[in-house]
Every structure is written in structure tokens, then in C-alpha cells.
Amino acid sequence: MVVPTVGRPSLDALLDALAQGRGPRPVELVLVDDRPAGAPLRAERAGLPPVRVLRTGGGGPARARNLGWRSVRTEWVAFLDDDVVPDPDWYERLADDLAGLPPDVAGSQGRVRVPLPEHRRPTDWERGTAGLATSSWITADLAYRRSALAAVGGFDERFPRAFREDSDLALRVMGTGARLVRGRRRITHPVRPVDRWISVRTQAGNADDVLMRRLHGPGWRDRADAPLGRRPRHLAVSAAGAAALALAAGGRPRAALAAGLAWAAGTAEFAWARIAPGPRTRDEVTTMLATSAAIPPLATWHWLRGVVTHRRVTRWRGLPDLVLFDRDGTLVHDFPYNGDPAWVRPVDGAREALDRLRARGVRVGVVSNQSGVARGLITREQVDACTARLAELLGPFDTVQVCPHGHDDGCGCRKPAPGMVKAACDELGVDPARCVVVGDIGADVEAAAAAGASGVLVPTPVTRRAEVAAAPRRAGTLTDAVDGVLAGAW
């Protein structure tokens, strides 16, 4: 179970409900703290599953959810938002919802209720929040197979806010031929208190709609069950207002008056459409009048910003599930046939580079040719001692693969053969297509290609020019290679 959070007070209500719920607990509850800073979250409560807290340093909900699912190894990952309250039988119904689902079902969505006031008509913000009850594939309560998330790279982190990132993921998962279904479990999504300008700030989501269109084509709304809304009208009202100002400045008062009246009529219609179904209190009416004048130009501005920002977008790949490193010459300085742990000396920036991958939930491993064993120059015990020293200096590795054979032994593991890469992927349950191999010679990238993985060459003075020229991807240093992987260049 993964819960991204920015430490809002609603988190306590969620944790209390989870602690008191009945039914089988998930293996683990992962809280992903997405605050840039602050004291560690305290989530201890009797009745909760084992709790682990991770920190992103502030990267948005998509990155927080990605870190959460990448850090677990269960078949299913259940996402909850930090401002919902599960029903008392949520655990039981979650187990029922997931039990026996066929392999082509990649996700199961819970059902959302949004309580509205009974003594008055709802406000504009309350009505908007109530729309969550009928929304499709929102991660307020949505469980995915981990393999389905890995296959598409998880959430697209180019969506910077909690808007459209869940619809984008759902469309990509369904694009693989998988299905998403609705379960019977329920959560309550209370209407959180906001200030009067919240509707103005949410207009930034218009830029995300442009990204959705770029990624999924003009029919994305139908597939994501996302209505168009009023953006065409906002564009028309904004154009009328801009025309009125331009015509007035150009000395054409009658034309300016006509355009101004069109702007006023459009703004008034928008304001009344928001005021009429609401409580019509003085505060609500004042808020609707002020924001109805501001929303059309801001919606148009953010849409235009999205058009410019997202004019060239590519398919989201996310991060790889696994990055494998050659040892000698890549992670450590190469001392030929070294069997002495004292001579294991990491290259500059190696620990920091590996820790950056670990911090994003990417597993790391080593694939190393050690033909000195076959030649009798070193023993396997010495190789293992040097590998243990490597882990002491650079942190733990999720897999270590060593080939002790010589060049003429005809094994399938010695690079450029793909054996070690495939063995590492098999050990960790990773699709080789979601794996990257980083090394300093052509055999490293050739082994990656033979296994169906991606290769990155980090040349050293001993790397042959032909190998550099043939490498599909190159980086100047190990740090540069990791920078590229984290940026999606793999």
C-alpha cells in the first residue's frame, strides 16, 4: 500500500481509519513524504501494517507514487491519497476485489463517495470535488499490478500536479491490451477547506490537458472519460476581452465597446452558471464574481503555455527497473586481476551516483568478467572479498553476477555474451527491456544488446576508438551516465 503525502492533517484521519479497519493487512504501508523539508513523519499506530517512510525531497505526486511502487516487490500495489478515509471493511473488500482477477486485468479502482452538506446547496468547490465520485481511474483508491506499472514506466513525472497523471497512466496501461476494472471497496473523500482563489489556481491544469492531447491524440477525453468543460468558451471570452483592449488602444471606440460587451456577457454567463446552483451566500457570490472574471484569461494562458511547453513530447519511458554496472574500469579504477580488497578504489562520484539511483527506487547490480580465476591468477574467494569491499564502499547491490571463465571456455556468461545480464534480470524479475548496462568497453554494451537491454558506454583511456564509435549511447563519466538514465535517456 503506497500513500504519497505532503503531511496534511488529513493524513492522520487516513491512518486512524487504516489502523481501525478490519480484514487482512497488506504486507507493508509505504508513506512517501513529498515535502521539500520538515521533521520526519510520525505514523506509528497500533493496527497498521508495517510502516516505512520514504522521502522525495519534493517532486510532485507522480514522482512520489513512482518511488513508492518501485520500493516494493509485491504483485499488487494499492494506492491511496492522503485525504481519503477508507470504509471499516476496506481491507476485506480490497482482498475480495483482487482475488482471482484474470491476468489481463492490470488494475482495480475503488468507489468514491464525496459527502455534501445536507442543510444547503453545495458551493462551486464542493460540486467540483463531488465529481471525483464518478471519475475514472483516479488514484485516490486504485490498485495496480506492479508488473503493469513497470511495463509502462509508472506515472509520467512531466505531470507536475495531482491532475491527469492518473488518467495518463490508465490510458498507457490499457494501451498494452490490459483491462482496468472497478471493485466494491469504498472510500470517503471529504471536501477539504480551501480559500476563495482555489478555482483560479487549478487553471494550471489546462497545460496538462495539452500534454494529454500530445501524448494520446485528440480522442483522449473519450477514452479517459474526461469532459472538455468550458475551455472553448474561456478562449472566446478571453479573445473578446483582448480585442476590446486592443481596439480601444487603436482608437476604435465603437468596435471596442462591442467587444467589451461580448466579454461582459460571456463573463456574466459564466458567473451565473456557477452562482445559480450554489448556496448564493454573500461570500459565495462575491467569490464567484471575482474568480469568474479571472478564470477565462488564466485558463487560456495556461493552455497556450502548454501548447508551447509540450510542442515536442516523446513517449514516457520512466526509469529503468535495474541498472547493472561493470566493475573494473567503471565503478572502480582498474587494477588488472586484482585480488586485494585494499586496492578496490571507486571512481570519483561512484557512491553518489549509485545512491541517486537507489533514492529513486531503481535497483542496482554488478556484472563482472573475472577471467583471472580461470587463468589461476586470483581465486574466487579473492573476487568475492573484493566484491564485499565494493559493497562496503558503494552501498548494497541488489544482484552481483561474476563470470570466472576464460575467453576460450565457451561459456554463455562472459561478456559480450548476455548470460550475466539475463541472470541478473531473472533473479530480480525484471524485463531486460527495462534494464540498463553501464560499462567501459564494447563487450559491456554488446552484452546489453544481446540480452535485450540498453547499454551506455563510459570510455576510459583503454577503450578502443571503434568501440566508442559503435556504442549507441555514451557518457563522459559515471556521473554523466547516471544523469542521463535519471533524465530518461536510456
Side-chain angles (χ1 to χ4, degrees):
M1 188 161 51
V2 171
V3 177
T5 183
V6 289
R8 294 182 289 191
S10 58
L11 177 63
D12 288 327
L14 167 65
L15 296 177
D16 289 342
L18 291 173
Q20 297 164 15
R22 60 180 183 268
R25 269 38 177 178
V27 171
E28 186 179 29
L29 168 59
V30 180
L31 289 180
V32 186
D33 185 353
D34 197 39
R35 297 174 299 166
L41 293 175
R42 300 187 62 84
E44 297 81 2
R45 282 167 176 76
L48 285 177
V51 178
R52 182 158 50 108
V53 179
L54 305 177
R55 298 199 76 155
T56 64
R63 176 173 293 186
R65 293 191 187 104
N66 281 341
L67 177 58
W69 74 260
R70 287 185 178 281
S71 71
V72 301
R73 302 292 174 256
T74 52
E75 179 185 4
W76 286 94
V77 182
F79 295 98
L80 286 175
D81 283 350
D82 72 350
D83 56 353
V84 305
V85 181
D87 280 7
D89 63 352
W90 185 83
Y91 288 123
E92 294 174 343
R93 289 187 178 268
L94 173 65
D96 291 341
D97 287 344
L98 301 184
L101 287 177
D104 69 323
V105 173
S108 168
Q109 178 177 326
R111 299 180 184 271
V112 182
R113 69 169 68 88
V114 180
L116 295 176
E118 298 179 356
H119 62 283
R120 61 167 173 80
R121 290 188 285 184
T123 64
D124 180 70
W125 173 249
E126 290 167 342
R127 292 193 305 275
T129 304
L132 296 173
T134 56
S135 296
S136 296
W137 322 130
I138 58 172
T139 43
D141 181 0
L142 185 56
Y144 274 106
R145 291 189 193 271
R146 191 187 185 283
S147 58
L149 295 169
V152 299
F155 293 86
D156 189 334
E157 297 175 17
R158 293 172 294 188
F159 290 91
R161 69 200 106 246
F163 186 69
R164 301 302 190 208
E165 85 292 354
D166 41 16
S167 296
D168 166 74
L169 174 63
L171 291 182
R172 286 186 287 118
V173 169
M174 290 188 289
T176 67
R179 292 189 295 131
L180 303 180
V181 299
R182 293 183 185 271
R184 297 191 304 133
R185 65 193 184 278
R186 289 186 176 273
I187 60 169
T188 297
H189 194 301
V191 180
R192 58 185 173 91
V194 293
D195 62 62
R196 67 173 53 196
W197 301 107
I198 182 64
S199 60
V200 172
R201 293 195 296 274
T202 58
Q203 299 311 307
N206 283 279
D208 301 332
D209 282 349
V210 177
L211 179 55
M212 286 291 290
R213 183 183 175 90
R214 292 280 194 266
L215 292 170
H216 301 288
W220 73 268
R221 290 185 179 277
D222 292 335
R223 287 180 284 133
D225 194 21
L228 175 60
R230 298 183 64 99
R231 197 187 69 232
R233 298 187 192 183
H234 290 335
L235 179 59
V237 170
S238 301
L245 294 174
L247 291 168
R252 300 177 60 185
R254 290 186 178 181
L257 177 60
L261 290 174
W263 171 84
T267 301
E269 183 275 331
F270 178 42
W272 178 245
R274 302 171 72 204
I275 292 170
R280 305 186 195 177
T281 62
R282 176 178 296 181
D283 184 67
E284 176 75 358
V285 171
T286 301
T287 298
M288 294 300 99
L289 290 174
T291 56
S292 294
I295 285 174
L298 281 173
T300 301
W301 161 252
H302 286 297
W303 177 76
L304 292 171
R305 179 174 59 84
V307 169
V308 174
T309 302
H310 303 306
R311 62 188 182 277
R312 295 186 183 92
V313 294
T314 57
R315 178 178 62 90
W316 173 257
R317 296 188 68 194
L319 298 179
D321 294 337
L322 173 65
V323 179
L324 299 172
F325 295 89
D326 172 59
R327 193 188 81 176
D328 302 318
T330 302
L331 289 177
V332 299
H333 295 285
D334 188 11
F335 296 100
Y337 309 116
N338 176 41
D340 185 353
W343 282 92
V344 175
R345 299 179 182 178
V347 302
D348 291 344
R351 179 63 188 249
E352 294 78 6
L354 291 171
D355 283 346
R356 290 173 62 209
L357 289 169
R358 296 180 182 116
R360 296 289 296 276
V362 179
R363 288 177 279 185
V364 295
V366 175
V367 285
S368 180
N369 287 349
Q370 294 294 329
S371 63
V373 176
R375 299 181 183 187
L377 301 175
I378 53 176
T379 66
R380 180 58 191 259
E381 289 72 21
Q382 288 177 306
V383 171
D384 292 342
C386 289
T387 300
R389 178 57 177 163
L390 184 72
E392 290 178 8
L393 296 172
L394 299 184
F397 293 94
D398 296 281
T399 181
V400 174
Q401 305 291 328
V402 173
C403 172
H405 306 110
H407 182 272
D408 298 325
D409 289 345
C411 70
C413 52
R414 178 178 170 80
K415 296 176 290 185
M420 285 192 288
V421 178
K422 288 184 175 181
C425 291
D426 289 343
E427 178 185 342
L428 300 177
V430 171
D431 182 345
R434 306 289 308 176
C435 173
V436 176
V437 180
V438 180
D440 66 317
I441 60 174
D444 297 312
V445 294
E446 290 172 22
S454 296
V456 180
L457 184 72
V458 181
T460 68
V462 302
T463 309
R464 297 172 182 171
R465 291 185 179 180
E467 294 175 335
V468 176
R473 290 180 181 84
R474 297 179 294 275
T477 65
L478 180 65
T479 298
D480 293 339
V482 171
D483 285 344
V485 169
L486 292 175
W490 56 277

